[in-house]
């Protein structure tokens, strides 16, 4: 797939679910740095036809920008296997974008999932500990 895909709240979930590697450029028409980044992003899309390069117009899709906590644009996000593995505001120069893509390709997603599972289980363990430290005894007495 070459070129970029315009993401909306209607097609966002499906696009991310159907593709294992999605780059997302959050942008707006009035944003100067966004316009500078656009040709760099388009060129990367042409050079990486196996990846999905998507764009979210934050003016037309404020709900998507809000859902991801986008404060500054442009912001580049990379989603692999439905996990956001990279998000950074700012217009990346071409060598930096190429490097980020290469690093994202090399990432071991099994390790990422293990790390997420470990963090989630630690979070659950802490909430259980808090319940016991408030004087609640196991067994309900």
């Amino acid at each position: 797939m070459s070129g970029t895909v315009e993401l909306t709240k209607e097609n966002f979930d499906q696009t991310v679910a159907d593709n294992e590697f999605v780059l997302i450029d959050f942008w707006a028409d009035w944003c100067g740095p966004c316009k500078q980044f656009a040709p760099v992003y388009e060129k990367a899309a042409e050079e990486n036809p196996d990846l999905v390069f998507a764009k979210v117009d934050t003016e037309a899709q404020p709900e998507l920008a809000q859902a991801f906590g986008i404060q500054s644009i442009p912001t580049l996000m990379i989603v692999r296997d439905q996990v956001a593995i990279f998000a950074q505001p700012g217009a990346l120069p071409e060598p930096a974008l190429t490097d980020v893509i290469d690093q994202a390709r090399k990432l071991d997603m099994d390790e990422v999932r293990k790390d997420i599972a470990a963090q989630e289980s630690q979070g659950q363990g802490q909430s259980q500990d808090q319940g016991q430290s408030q004087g609640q005894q196991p067994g309900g007495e």
Side-chain angles (χ1 to χ4, degrees):
M1 172 182 270
S2 61
T4 59
V5 177
E6 187 68 34
L7 290 183
T8 65
K9 61 184 178 184
E10 288 77 22
N11 71 353
F12 184 91
D13 289 341
Q14 193 68 48
T15 301
V16 170
D18 288 351
N19 298 282
E20 78 174 57
F21 199 123
V22 183
L23 293 93
I24 306 167
D25 174 23
F26 290 87
W27 68 284
D29 196 41
W30 51 263
C31 165
C34 297
K35 290 182 179 186
Q36 291 174 325
F37 182 59
V40 172
Y41 193 69
E42 293 287 341
K43 184 176 180 197
E46 291 170 15
E47 292 173 350
N48 296 277
D50 57 317
L51 307 180
V52 174
F53 284 73
K55 297 176 81 75
V56 173
D57 180 346
T58 57
E59 293 293 303
Q61 301 296 324
E63 300 91 346
L64 283 178
Q66 190 173 18
F68 288 99
I70 303 301
Q71 301 289 322
S72 302
I73 53 174
T75 289
L76 176 66
M77 181 176 288
I78 299 177
V79 179
R80 275 196 59 195
D81 299 341
Q82 302 182 40
V83 176
I85 59 168
F86 178 86
Q88 179 177 312
L92 295 175
E94 186 178 339
L97 178 58
T98 300
D99 186 49
V100 166
I101 292 169
D102 289 344
Q103 288 183 43
R105 282 184 186 274
K106 292 174 186 170
L107 204 56
D108 182 341
M109 290 307 293
D110 289 334
E111 284 298 317
V112 170
R113 281 188 283 278
K114 282 183 200 171
D115 289 347
I116 292 170
Q119 289 173 4
E120 287 175 352
S121 67
Q122 283 179 345
Q124 290 170 351
Q126 288 172 353
S127 63
Q128 289 172 348
D129 292 344
Q130 287 172 349
Q132 291 183 0
S133 67
Q134 294 174 349
Q136 296 174 356
Q137 302 272 331
E141 304 257 339

